[in-house]
């Protein structure tokens, strides 16, 4: 079974530029999460989807961050415009209903110059 | 406010000995606890979990112990192997909802 797929793996951009990250969850997993991980810290939740509905986006900085999961499968996380402090690893995770375990992708390491 | 805490940023253990990684939490509503292992440039990999109705769960060389009264859990790795060297994250959730992670403990197993 394929795991969670994320792309790109690495992205370097200049501040004020837009950037987008893509995630393909494990097949059949209806719950999808985006996390932010800063250096030396644990992952922190940005947004959680149940199918195509964002059920928890309370930690998403909505002035510059947006996300979508239009057909309840793949998801895209966007930052516009990026700031220096956005440099971090962005992780996607998925989970199937009735279980508590989340499975993570490899992450996208974003560097904002 | 950090609801899940891993107070030891690093731990070094000799190969073959026991590794004990600790985790404390503050939210009494947490009912499910997980340990993830992370290698450099990879995402966290699920290792082992425990429900709050249990106090111990074992899977091969890995055992997780939960002390609800102390709001403390620990991961035991016996025997430790060099391939176990990684960052270990403790995580907790309440009612199968969002996970809250600790800051991680870097384990180094010395051959």
């Amino acid at each position: 079974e394929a795991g969670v797929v994320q792309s790109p793996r690495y992205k370097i951009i200049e501040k004020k530029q837009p950037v987008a990250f893509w995630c393909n969850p494990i097949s059949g997993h209806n719950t999808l999460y985006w996390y932010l991980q800063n250096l030396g810290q644990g992952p922190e939740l940005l947004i959680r989807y149940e199918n195509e509905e964002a059920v928890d986006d309370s930690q998403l900085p909505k002035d510059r961050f947006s996300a979508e999961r239009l057909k309840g499968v793949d998801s895209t996380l966007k930052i516009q415009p990026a700031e220096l402090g956005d440099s971090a690893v962005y992780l996607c995770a998925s989970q199937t209903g009735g279980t508590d375990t989340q499975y993570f992708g490899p992450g996208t390491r974003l560097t904002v110059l | 406010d950090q609801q899940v805490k891993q107070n030891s940023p690093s731990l070094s253990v000799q190969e073959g000995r026991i590794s004990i990684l600790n985790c404390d939490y503050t939210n009494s509503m947490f009912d499910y606890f997980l340990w993830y292992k992370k290698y450099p440039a990879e995402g966290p990999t699920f290792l082992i979990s425990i429900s709050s109705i249990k106090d111990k769960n074992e899977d091969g060389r890995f055992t997780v112990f939960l002390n609800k009264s102390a709001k403390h859990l620990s991961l035991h790795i016996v025997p430790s192997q060099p391939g176990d060297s990684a960052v270990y994250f403790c995580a907790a959730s309440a009612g199968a909802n969002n996970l809250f992670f600790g800051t991680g403990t870097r384990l180094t197993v010395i051959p």
Side-chain angles (χ1 to χ4, degrees), chain A residues 9-10 33 35 37 40-43 45 48 56 91 100-102 104-106, chain B residues 32 34 36 38 41-44 46 89 93 95-99 101-103:
Chain A
R9 292 294 313 277
Y10 304 91
Y33 303 81
Y35 287 87
Q37 185 174 19
Q41 301 295 314
L45 180 71
R48 172 186 173 196
D56 186 351
L91 292 162
D100 296 275
T101 303
Q102 296 180 25
F104 284 81
Chain B
Y32 195 72
L34 308 90
Y36 284 84
K38 186 180 183 305
E42 295 183 11
F46 170 71
F89 289 97
S93 70
N97 287 313
N98 305 331
L99 286 179
F101 284 83
T103 52

PDB file of all heavy atoms in Angstrom, chain A residues 9-10 33 35 37 40-43 45 48 56 91 100-102 104-106, chain B residues 32 34 36 38 41-44 46 89 93 95-99 101-103:
ATOM      1  N   ARG A   9       9.418  18.019  -2.425  1.00  0.00           N
ATOM      2  CA  ARG A   9      10.089  17.679  -1.174  1.00  0.00           C
ATOM      3  C   ARG A   9      10.814  18.894  -0.605  1.00  0.00           C
ATOM      4  O   ARG A   9      10.918  19.048   0.609  1.00  0.00           O
ATOM      5  CB  ARG A   9      11.077  16.545  -1.400  1.00  0.00           C
ATOM      6  CG  ARG A   9      10.437  15.202  -1.726  1.00  0.00           C
ATOM      7  CD  ARG A   9       9.630  14.663  -0.532  1.00  0.00           C
ATOM      8  NE  ARG A   9      10.351  14.737   0.707  1.00  0.00           N
ATOM      9  CZ  ARG A   9      11.233  13.848   1.124  1.00  0.00           C
ATOM     10  NH1 ARG A   9      11.504  12.784   0.380  1.00  0.00           N
ATOM     11  NH2 ARG A   9      11.839  13.995   2.287  1.00  0.00           N
ATOM     12  N   TYR A  10      11.299  19.725  -1.492  1.00  0.00           N
ATOM     13  CA  TYR A  10      12.023  20.925  -1.080  1.00  0.00           C
ATOM     14  C   TYR A  10      11.583  22.090  -1.961  1.00  0.00           C
ATOM     15  O   TYR A  10      11.318  21.912  -3.143  1.00  0.00           O
ATOM     16  CB  TYR A  10      13.540  20.733  -1.212  1.00  0.00           C
ATOM     17  CG  TYR A  10      14.071  19.553  -0.445  1.00  0.00           C
ATOM     18  CD1 TYR A  10      14.166  18.297  -1.045  1.00  0.00           C
ATOM     19  CD2 TYR A  10      14.455  19.686   0.883  1.00  0.00           C
ATOM     20  CE1 TYR A  10      14.644  17.208  -0.326  1.00  0.00           C
ATOM     21  CE2 TYR A  10      14.936  18.604   1.602  1.00  0.00           C
ATOM     22  CZ  TYR A  10      15.021  17.370   0.992  1.00  0.00           C
ATOM     23  OH  TYR A  10      15.487  16.293   1.698  1.00  0.00           O
ATOM     24  N   TYR A  33      -4.752  15.859   7.292  1.00  0.00           N
ATOM     25  CA  TYR A  33      -4.223  16.922   8.145  1.00  0.00           C
ATOM     26  C   TYR A  33      -3.033  17.593   7.456  1.00  0.00           C
ATOM     27  O   TYR A  33      -2.239  16.939   6.775  1.00  0.00           O
ATOM     28  CB  TYR A  33      -3.703  16.362   9.463  1.00  0.00           C
ATOM     29  CG  TYR A  33      -4.684  15.579  10.301  1.00  0.00           C
ATOM     30  CD1 TYR A  33      -4.967  14.240  10.024  1.00  0.00           C
ATOM     31  CD2 TYR A  33      -5.301  16.166  11.404  1.00  0.00           C
ATOM     32  CE1 TYR A  33      -5.846  13.511  10.812  1.00  0.00           C
ATOM     33  CE2 TYR A  33      -6.181  15.451  12.195  1.00  0.00           C
ATOM     34  CZ  TYR A  33      -6.447  14.124  11.902  1.00  0.00           C
ATOM     35  OH  TYR A  33      -7.320  13.405  12.688  1.00  0.00           O
ATOM     36  N   TYR A  35       0.222  19.806   8.857  1.00  0.00           N
ATOM     37  CA  TYR A  35       0.949  20.236  10.032  1.00  0.00           C
ATOM     38  C   TYR A  35       2.132  21.108   9.615  1.00  0.00           C
ATOM     39  O   TYR A  35       2.688  20.971   8.524  1.00  0.00           O
ATOM     40  CB  TYR A  35       1.525  19.041  10.794  1.00  0.00           C
ATOM     41  CG  TYR A  35       0.534  18.204  11.554  1.00  0.00           C
ATOM     42  CD1 TYR A  35      -0.132  17.149  10.934  1.00  0.00           C
ATOM     43  CD2 TYR A  35       0.286  18.437  12.903  1.00  0.00           C
ATOM     44  CE1 TYR A  35      -1.029  16.355  11.644  1.00  0.00           C
ATOM     45  CE2 TYR A  35      -0.608  17.651  13.626  1.00  0.00           C
ATOM     46  CZ  TYR A  35      -1.253  16.623  12.981  1.00  0.00           C
ATOM     47  OH  TYR A  35      -2.141  15.841  13.684  1.00  0.00           O
ATOM     48  N   GLN A  37       5.986  22.036  11.024  1.00  0.00           N
ATOM     49  CA  GLN A  37       7.003  21.654  11.989  1.00  0.00           C
ATOM     50  C   GLN A  37       8.199  22.582  11.884  1.00  0.00           C
ATOM     51  O   GLN A  37       8.908  22.586  10.869  1.00  0.00           O
ATOM     52  CB  GLN A  37       7.451  20.206  11.794  1.00  0.00           C
ATOM     53  CG  GLN A  37       8.427  19.752  12.870  1.00  0.00           C
ATOM     54  CD  GLN A  37       8.782  18.289  12.796  1.00  0.00           C
ATOM     55  OE1 GLN A  37       8.609  17.650  11.772  1.00  0.00           O
ATOM     56  NE2 GLN A  37       9.274  17.743  13.892  1.00  0.00           N
ATOM     57  N   GLY A  40      13.366  21.759  15.733  1.00  0.00           N
ATOM     58  CA  GLY A  40      13.431  21.484  17.158  1.00  0.00           C
ATOM     59  C   GLY A  40      12.087  21.392  17.854  1.00  0.00           C
ATOM     60  O   GLY A  40      12.026  21.316  19.082  1.00  0.00           O
ATOM     61  N   GLN A  41      11.023  21.413  17.067  1.00  0.00           N
ATOM     62  CA  GLN A  41       9.679  21.343  17.632  1.00  0.00           C
ATOM     63  C   GLN A  41       8.920  20.148  17.080  1.00  0.00           C
ATOM     64  O   GLN A  41       9.330  19.548  16.083  1.00  0.00           O
ATOM     65  CB  GLN A  41       8.912  22.630  17.302  1.00  0.00           C
ATOM     66  CG  GLN A  41       9.558  23.889  17.823  1.00  0.00           C
ATOM     67  CD  GLN A  41       9.587  23.940  19.324  1.00  0.00           C
ATOM     68  OE1 GLN A  41       8.592  23.647  19.991  1.00  0.00           O
ATOM     69  NE2 GLN A  41      10.732  24.302  19.900  1.00  0.00           N
ATOM     70  N   GLY A  42       7.819  19.821  17.730  1.00  0.00           N
ATOM     71  CA  GLY A  42       6.950  18.800  17.188  1.00  0.00           C
ATOM     72  C   GLY A  42       6.001  19.400  16.170  1.00  0.00           C
ATOM     73  O   GLY A  42       5.844  20.621  16.086  1.00  0.00           O
ATOM     74  N   PRO A  43       5.359  18.562  15.370  1.00  0.00           N
ATOM     75  CA  PRO A  43       4.376  19.071  14.401  1.00  0.00           C
ATOM     76  C   PRO A  43       3.225  19.792  15.109  1.00  0.00           C
ATOM     77  O   PRO A  43       2.781  19.374  16.175  1.00  0.00           O
ATOM     78  CB  PRO A  43       3.881  17.807  13.702  1.00  0.00           C
ATOM     79  CG  PRO A  43       4.963  16.793  13.915  1.00  0.00           C
ATOM     80  CD  PRO A  43       5.535  17.109  15.256  1.00  0.00           C
ATOM     81  N   LEU A  45      -0.697  21.392  14.310  1.00  0.00           N
ATOM     82  CA  LEU A  45      -1.791  21.305  13.349  1.00  0.00           C
ATOM     83  C   LEU A  45      -2.094  22.663  12.711  1.00  0.00           C
ATOM     84  O   LEU A  45      -2.188  23.681  13.392  1.00  0.00           O
ATOM     85  CB  LEU A  45      -3.055  20.800  14.036  1.00  0.00           C
ATOM     86  CG  LEU A  45      -4.279  20.662  13.124  1.00  0.00           C
ATOM     87  CD1 LEU A  45      -4.093  19.484  12.166  1.00  0.00           C
ATOM     88  CD2 LEU A  45      -5.540  20.492  13.950  1.00  0.00           C
ATOM     89  N   ARG A  48      -7.495  20.499   9.454  1.00  0.00           N
ATOM     90  CA  ARG A  48      -7.945  19.114   9.391  1.00  0.00           C
ATOM     91  C   ARG A  48      -9.169  19.031   8.492  1.00  0.00           C
ATOM     92  O   ARG A  48     -10.106  19.827   8.621  1.00  0.00           O
ATOM     93  CB  ARG A  48      -8.308  18.628  10.785  1.00  0.00           C
ATOM     94  CG  ARG A  48      -8.976  17.263  10.840  1.00  0.00           C
ATOM     95  CD  ARG A  48      -9.423  16.963  12.249  1.00  0.00           C
ATOM     96  NE  ARG A  48     -10.212  15.740  12.325  1.00  0.00           N
ATOM     97  CZ  ARG A  48     -10.978  15.418  13.356  1.00  0.00           C
ATOM     98  NH1 ARG A  48     -11.048  16.230  14.379  1.00  0.00           N
ATOM     99  NH2 ARG A  48     -11.654  14.295  13.355  1.00  0.00           N
ATOM    100  N   ASP A  56     -11.543  21.714  11.115  1.00  0.00           N
ATOM    101  CA  ASP A  56     -10.785  22.481  12.099  1.00  0.00           C
ATOM    102  C   ASP A  56      -9.700  23.263  11.375  1.00  0.00           C
ATOM    103  O   ASP A  56      -8.703  22.689  10.944  1.00  0.00           O
ATOM    104  CB  ASP A  56     -10.172  21.573  13.160  1.00  0.00           C
ATOM    105  CG  ASP A  56      -9.495  22.361  14.282  1.00  0.00           C
ATOM    106  OD1 ASP A  56      -9.345  23.604  14.163  1.00  0.00           O
ATOM    107  OD2 ASP A  56      -9.106  21.733  15.279  1.00  0.00           O
ATOM    108  N   LEU A  91       4.012  19.166   6.817  1.00  0.00           N
ATOM    109  CA  LEU A  91       3.703  17.741   6.804  1.00  0.00           C
ATOM    110  C   LEU A  91       2.225  17.519   6.522  1.00  0.00           C
ATOM    111  O   LEU A  91       1.373  18.246   7.025  1.00  0.00           O
ATOM    112  CB  LEU A  91       4.029  17.119   8.165  1.00  0.00           C
ATOM    113  CG  LEU A  91       5.497  17.054   8.555  1.00  0.00           C
ATOM    114  CD1 LEU A  91       5.640  16.829  10.061  1.00  0.00           C
ATOM    115  CD2 LEU A  91       6.213  15.948   7.804  1.00  0.00           C
ATOM    116  N   ASP A 100      -7.313   5.961  15.511  1.00  0.00           N
ATOM    117  CA  ASP A 100      -6.670   7.160  16.049  1.00  0.00           C
ATOM    118  C   ASP A 100      -5.310   7.431  15.434  1.00  0.00           C
ATOM    119  O   ASP A 100      -4.709   8.463  15.695  1.00  0.00           O
ATOM    120  CB  ASP A 100      -6.496   7.016  17.567  1.00  0.00           C
ATOM    121  CG  ASP A 100      -7.828   6.936  18.283  1.00  0.00           C
ATOM    122  OD1 ASP A 100      -8.388   8.001  18.575  1.00  0.00           O
ATOM    123  OD2 ASP A 100      -8.299   5.811  18.510  1.00  0.00           O
ATOM    124  N   THR A 101      -4.799   6.519  14.632  1.00  0.00           N
ATOM    125  CA  THR A 101      -3.432   6.638  14.142  1.00  0.00           C
ATOM    126  C   THR A 101      -3.383   7.444  12.864  1.00  0.00           C
ATOM    127  O   THR A 101      -4.122   7.176  11.920  1.00  0.00           O
ATOM    128  CB  THR A 101      -2.826   5.244  13.904  1.00  0.00           C
ATOM    129  OG1 THR A 101      -2.895   4.497  15.120  1.00  0.00           O
ATOM    130  CG2 THR A 101      -1.373   5.366  13.477  1.00  0.00           C
ATOM    131  N   GLN A 102      -2.511   8.440  12.842  1.00  0.00           N
ATOM    132  CA  GLN A 102      -2.282   9.239  11.649  1.00  0.00           C
ATOM    133  C   GLN A 102      -0.978   8.784  10.996  1.00  0.00           C
ATOM    134  O   GLN A 102      -0.002   8.495  11.686  1.00  0.00           O
ATOM    135  CB  GLN A 102      -2.174  10.722  12.021  1.00  0.00           C
ATOM    136  CG  GLN A 102      -3.464  11.275  12.607  1.00  0.00           C
ATOM    137  CD  GLN A 102      -3.337  12.739  12.973  1.00  0.00           C
ATOM    138  OE1 GLN A 102      -2.520  13.467  12.413  1.00  0.00           O
ATOM    139  NE2 GLN A 102      -4.148  13.183  13.918  1.00  0.00           N
ATOM    140  N   PHE A 104       1.974   9.827   8.254  1.00  0.00           N
ATOM    141  CA  PHE A 104       2.557  11.045   7.728  1.00  0.00           C
ATOM    142  C   PHE A 104       3.284  10.821   6.407  1.00  0.00           C
ATOM    143  O   PHE A 104       3.861   9.757   6.158  1.00  0.00           O
ATOM    144  CB  PHE A 104       3.561  11.627   8.728  1.00  0.00           C
ATOM    145  CG  PHE A 104       2.911  12.315   9.893  1.00  0.00           C
ATOM    146  CD1 PHE A 104       2.437  11.586  10.961  1.00  0.00           C
ATOM    147  CD2 PHE A 104       2.768  13.697   9.905  1.00  0.00           C
ATOM    148  CE1 PHE A 104       1.817  12.220  12.038  1.00  0.00           C
ATOM    149  CE2 PHE A 104       2.159  14.338  10.978  1.00  0.00           C
ATOM    150  CZ  PHE A 104       1.685  13.597  12.036  1.00  0.00           C
ATOM    151  N   GLY A 105       3.257  11.866   5.587  1.00  0.00           N
ATOM    152  CA  GLY A 105       4.097  11.912   4.412  1.00  0.00           C
ATOM    153  C   GLY A 105       5.492  12.390   4.775  1.00  0.00           C
ATOM    154  O   GLY A 105       5.756  12.711   5.939  1.00  0.00           O
ATOM    155  N   PRO A 106       6.387  12.487   3.787  1.00  0.00           N
ATOM    156  CA  PRO A 106       7.776  12.873   4.054  1.00  0.00           C
ATOM    157  C   PRO A 106       7.952  14.359   4.330  1.00  0.00           C
ATOM    158  O   PRO A 106       8.981  14.773   4.840  1.00  0.00           O
ATOM    159  CB  PRO A 106       8.510  12.477   2.767  1.00  0.00           C
ATOM    160  CG  PRO A 106       7.455  12.556   1.718  1.00  0.00           C
ATOM    161  CD  PRO A 106       6.184  12.133   2.368  1.00  0.00           C
TER     162      PRO A 106
ATOM    163  N   TYR B  32      -5.778   8.843  24.098  1.00  0.00           N
ATOM    164  CA  TYR B  32      -5.033   7.983  23.178  1.00  0.00           C
ATOM    165  C   TYR B  32      -3.660   8.592  23.005  1.00  0.00           C
ATOM    166  O   TYR B  32      -3.540   9.808  22.800  1.00  0.00           O
ATOM    167  CB  TYR B  32      -5.763   7.886  21.837  1.00  0.00           C
ATOM    168  CG  TYR B  32      -5.283   6.751  20.959  1.00  0.00           C
ATOM    169  CD1 TYR B  32      -5.579   5.436  21.262  1.00  0.00           C
ATOM    170  CD2 TYR B  32      -4.543   7.020  19.809  1.00  0.00           C
ATOM    171  CE1 TYR B  32      -5.142   4.402  20.461  1.00  0.00           C
ATOM    172  CE2 TYR B  32      -4.110   5.992  18.999  1.00  0.00           C
ATOM    173  CZ  TYR B  32      -4.410   4.687  19.322  1.00  0.00           C
ATOM    174  OH  TYR B  32      -4.001   3.661  18.524  1.00  0.00           O
ATOM    175  N   LEU B  34       0.404   8.123  21.370  1.00  0.00           N
ATOM    176  CA  LEU B  34       1.180   7.482  20.306  1.00  0.00           C
ATOM    177  C   LEU B  34       2.641   7.896  20.413  1.00  0.00           C
ATOM    178  O   LEU B  34       2.957   8.985  20.899  1.00  0.00           O
ATOM    179  CB  LEU B  34       0.658   7.905  18.922  1.00  0.00           C
ATOM    180  CG  LEU B  34      -0.827   7.756  18.639  1.00  0.00           C
ATOM    181  CD1 LEU B  34      -1.589   9.021  19.030  1.00  0.00           C
ATOM    182  CD2 LEU B  34      -1.046   7.488  17.161  1.00  0.00           C
ATOM    183  N   TYR B  36       5.897   8.317  17.751  1.00  0.00           N
ATOM    184  CA  TYR B  36       6.356   8.351  16.373  1.00  0.00           C
ATOM    185  C   TYR B  36       7.865   8.445  16.379  1.00  0.00           C
ATOM    186  O   TYR B  36       8.482   9.041  17.257  1.00  0.00           O
ATOM    187  CB  TYR B  36       5.782   9.574  15.635  1.00  0.00           C
ATOM    188  CG  TYR B  36       4.331   9.457  15.243  1.00  0.00           C
ATOM    189  CD1 TYR B  36       3.317   9.773  16.146  1.00  0.00           C
ATOM    190  CD2 TYR B  36       3.970   9.031  13.967  1.00  0.00           C
ATOM    191  CE1 TYR B  36       1.980   9.677  15.775  1.00  0.00           C
ATOM    192  CE2 TYR B  36       2.641   8.937  13.593  1.00  0.00           C
ATOM    193  CZ  TYR B  36       1.651   9.262  14.504  1.00  0.00           C
ATOM    194  OH  TYR B  36       0.338   9.155  14.136  1.00  0.00           O
ATOM    195  N   LYS B  38      11.189   9.510  13.938  1.00  0.00           N
ATOM    196  CA  LYS B  38      11.482  10.331  12.772  1.00  0.00           C
ATOM    197  C   LYS B  38      12.970  10.296  12.436  1.00  0.00           C
ATOM    198  O   LYS B  38      13.819  10.647  13.263  1.00  0.00           O
ATOM    199  CB  LYS B  38      11.025  11.778  12.998  1.00  0.00           C
ATOM    200  CG  LYS B  38      11.165  12.648  11.771  1.00  0.00           C
ATOM    201  CD  LYS B  38      10.702  14.057  12.028  1.00  0.00           C
ATOM    202  CE  LYS B  38      10.793  14.904  10.759  1.00  0.00           C
ATOM    203  NZ  LYS B  38      12.130  14.897  10.152  1.00  0.00           N
ATOM    204  N   ALA B  41      15.002  14.073   7.227  1.00  0.00           N
ATOM    205  CA  ALA B  41      14.432  14.253   5.891  1.00  0.00           C
ATOM    206  C   ALA B  41      13.269  13.294   5.604  1.00  0.00           C
ATOM    207  O   ALA B  41      12.909  13.091   4.442  1.00  0.00           O
ATOM    208  CB  ALA B  41      15.493  14.117   4.807  1.00  0.00           C
ATOM    209  N   GLU B  42      12.701  12.719   6.639  1.00  0.00           N
ATOM    210  CA  GLU B  42      11.517  11.878   6.466  1.00  0.00           C
ATOM    211  C   GLU B  42      10.420  12.369   7.395  1.00  0.00           C
ATOM    212  O   GLU B  42      10.668  13.070   8.366  1.00  0.00           O
ATOM    213  CB  GLU B  42      11.821  10.414   6.776  1.00  0.00           C
ATOM    214  CG  GLU B  42      12.811   9.772   5.838  1.00  0.00           C
ATOM    215  CD  GLU B  42      13.015   8.299   6.140  1.00  0.00           C
ATOM    216  OE1 GLU B  42      12.236   7.737   6.933  1.00  0.00           O
ATOM    217  OE2 GLU B  42      13.951   7.719   5.583  1.00  0.00           O
ATOM    218  N   GLY B  43       9.174  11.973   7.084  1.00  0.00           N
ATOM    219  CA  GLY B  43       8.087  12.299   7.985  1.00  0.00           C
ATOM    220  C   GLY B  43       8.065  11.354   9.179  1.00  0.00           C
ATOM    221  O   GLY B  43       8.712  10.307   9.165  1.00  0.00           O
ATOM    222  N   PRO B  44       7.339  11.721  10.235  1.00  0.00           N
ATOM    223  CA  PRO B  44       7.222  10.832  11.396  1.00  0.00           C
ATOM    224  C   PRO B  44       6.579   9.507  11.005  1.00  0.00           C
ATOM    225  O   PRO B  44       5.610   9.478  10.245  1.00  0.00           O
ATOM    226  CB  PRO B  44       6.314  11.617  12.346  1.00  0.00           C
ATOM    227  CG  PRO B  44       6.415  13.042  11.908  1.00  0.00           C
ATOM    228  CD  PRO B  44       6.615  12.998  10.434  1.00  0.00           C
ATOM    229  N   PHE B  46       4.724   6.081  12.455  1.00  0.00           N
ATOM    230  CA  PHE B  46       4.024   5.542  13.613  1.00  0.00           C
ATOM    231  C   PHE B  46       4.779   4.328  14.168  1.00  0.00           C
ATOM    232  O   PHE B  46       5.198   3.443  13.420  1.00  0.00           O
ATOM    233  CB  PHE B  46       2.598   5.142  13.226  1.00  0.00           C
ATOM    234  CG  PHE B  46       1.887   4.359  14.294  1.00  0.00           C
ATOM    235  CD1 PHE B  46       1.491   4.981  15.457  1.00  0.00           C
ATOM    236  CD2 PHE B  46       1.643   3.006  14.134  1.00  0.00           C
ATOM    237  CE1 PHE B  46       0.836   4.261  16.455  1.00  0.00           C
ATOM    238  CE2 PHE B  46       0.998   2.277  15.110  1.00  0.00           C
ATOM    239  CZ  PHE B  46       0.596   2.906  16.277  1.00  0.00           C
ATOM    240  N   PHE B  89       8.916  11.211  18.909  1.00  0.00           N
ATOM    241  CA  PHE B  89       7.884  12.158  19.316  1.00  0.00           C
ATOM    242  C   PHE B  89       6.766  11.424  20.038  1.00  0.00           C
ATOM    243  O   PHE B  89       6.266  10.404  19.566  1.00  0.00           O
ATOM    244  CB  PHE B  89       7.291  12.889  18.114  1.00  0.00           C
ATOM    245  CG  PHE B  89       8.224  13.878  17.480  1.00  0.00           C
ATOM    246  CD1 PHE B  89       8.977  13.529  16.372  1.00  0.00           C
ATOM    247  CD2 PHE B  89       8.349  15.161  17.993  1.00  0.00           C
ATOM    248  CE1 PHE B  89       9.846  14.445  15.783  1.00  0.00           C
ATOM    249  CE2 PHE B  89       9.208  16.082  17.410  1.00  0.00           C
ATOM    250  CZ  PHE B  89       9.959  15.719  16.297  1.00  0.00           C
ATOM    251  N   SER B  93      -4.117  12.474  21.863  1.00  0.00           N
ATOM    252  CA  SER B  93      -5.360  13.007  21.299  1.00  0.00           C
ATOM    253  C   SER B  93      -6.508  12.734  22.264  1.00  0.00           C
ATOM    254  O   SER B  93      -6.413  11.865  23.142  1.00  0.00           O
ATOM    255  CB  SER B  93      -5.671  12.385  19.943  1.00  0.00           C
ATOM    256  OG  SER B  93      -6.034  11.026  20.086  1.00  0.00           O
ATOM    257  N   GLY B  95     -10.496  11.798  22.033  1.00  0.00           N
ATOM    258  CA  GLY B  95     -11.629  11.422  21.209  1.00  0.00           C
ATOM    259  C   GLY B  95     -11.342  11.316  19.731  1.00  0.00           C
ATOM    260  O   GLY B  95     -12.142  11.741  18.903  1.00  0.00           O
ATOM    261  N   ALA B  96     -10.194  10.755  19.387  1.00  0.00           N
ATOM    262  CA  ALA B  96      -9.811  10.537  17.979  1.00  0.00           C
ATOM    263  C   ALA B  96      -9.771  11.839  17.192  1.00  0.00           C
ATOM    264  O   ALA B  96     -10.037  11.863  15.993  1.00  0.00           O
ATOM    265  CB  ALA B  96     -10.749   9.543  17.307  1.00  0.00           C
ATOM    266  N   ASN B  97      -9.446  12.904  17.862  1.00  0.00           N
ATOM    267  CA  ASN B  97      -9.335  14.185  17.192  1.00  0.00           C
ATOM    268  C   ASN B  97      -7.868  14.551  16.960  1.00  0.00           C
ATOM    269  O   ASN B  97      -7.029  13.687  16.807  1.00  0.00           O
ATOM    270  CB  ASN B  97     -10.064  15.261  18.006  1.00  0.00           C
ATOM    271  CG  ASN B  97     -11.569  15.104  17.898  1.00  0.00           C
ATOM    272  OD1 ASN B  97     -12.097  14.925  16.807  1.00  0.00           O
ATOM    273  ND2 ASN B  97     -12.240  15.147  19.033  1.00  0.00           N
ATOM    274  N   ASN B  98      -7.589  15.831  16.958  1.00  0.00           N
ATOM    275  CA  ASN B  98      -6.266  16.295  16.577  1.00  0.00           C
ATOM    276  C   ASN B  98      -5.190  15.800  17.533  1.00  0.00           C
ATOM    277  O   ASN B  98      -5.395  15.693  18.735  1.00  0.00           O
ATOM    278  CB  ASN B  98      -6.251  17.815  16.551  1.00  0.00           C
ATOM    279  CG  ASN B  98      -7.330  18.370  15.646  1.00  0.00           C
ATOM    280  OD1 ASN B  98      -7.728  17.737  14.679  1.00  0.00           O
ATOM    281  ND2 ASN B  98      -7.825  19.555  15.989  1.00  0.00           N
ATOM    282  N   LEU B  99      -4.007  15.531  16.969  1.00  0.00           N
ATOM    283  CA  LEU B  99      -2.870  15.125  17.767  1.00  0.00           C
ATOM    284  C   LEU B  99      -2.102  16.332  18.272  1.00  0.00           C
ATOM    285  O   LEU B  99      -1.924  17.307  17.544  1.00  0.00           O
ATOM    286  CB  LEU B  99      -1.919  14.253  16.931  1.00  0.00           C
ATOM    287  CG  LEU B  99      -2.346  12.818  16.615  1.00  0.00           C
ATOM    288  CD1 LEU B  99      -1.285  12.133  15.764  1.00  0.00           C
ATOM    289  CD2 LEU B  99      -2.610  12.037  17.880  1.00  0.00           C
ATOM    290  N   PHE B 101       1.637  17.134  19.837  1.00  0.00           N
ATOM    291  CA  PHE B 101       2.942  16.516  19.872  1.00  0.00           C
ATOM    292  C   PHE B 101       3.841  17.166  20.911  1.00  0.00           C
ATOM    293  O   PHE B 101       3.750  18.372  21.186  1.00  0.00           O
ATOM    294  CB  PHE B 101       3.638  16.654  18.510  1.00  0.00           C
ATOM    295  CG  PHE B 101       3.113  15.720  17.465  1.00  0.00           C
ATOM    296  CD1 PHE B 101       1.975  16.023  16.742  1.00  0.00           C
ATOM    297  CD2 PHE B 101       3.770  14.528  17.201  1.00  0.00           C
ATOM    298  CE1 PHE B 101       1.497  15.155  15.770  1.00  0.00           C
ATOM    299  CE2 PHE B 101       3.304  13.653  16.233  1.00  0.00           C
ATOM    300  CZ  PHE B 101       2.162  13.970  15.515  1.00  0.00           C
ATOM    301  N   GLY B 102       4.767  16.349  21.457  1.00  0.00           N
ATOM    302  CA  GLY B 102       5.862  16.891  22.234  1.00  0.00           C
ATOM    303  C   GLY B 102       6.947  17.419  21.303  1.00  0.00           C
ATOM    304  O   GLY B 102       6.814  17.359  20.075  1.00  0.00           O
ATOM    305  N   THR B 103       8.021  17.904  21.894  1.00  0.00           N
ATOM    306  CA  THR B 103       9.094  18.504  21.107  1.00  0.00           C
ATOM    307  C   THR B 103      10.136  17.491  20.647  1.00  0.00           C
ATOM    308  O   THR B 103      11.048  17.843  19.912  1.00  0.00           O
ATOM    309  CB  THR B 103       9.792  19.611  21.901  1.00  0.00           C
ATOM    310  OG1 THR B 103      10.182  19.081  23.171  1.00  0.00           O
ATOM    311  CG2 THR B 103       8.865  20.796  22.116  1.00  0.00           C
TER     312      THR B 103
END
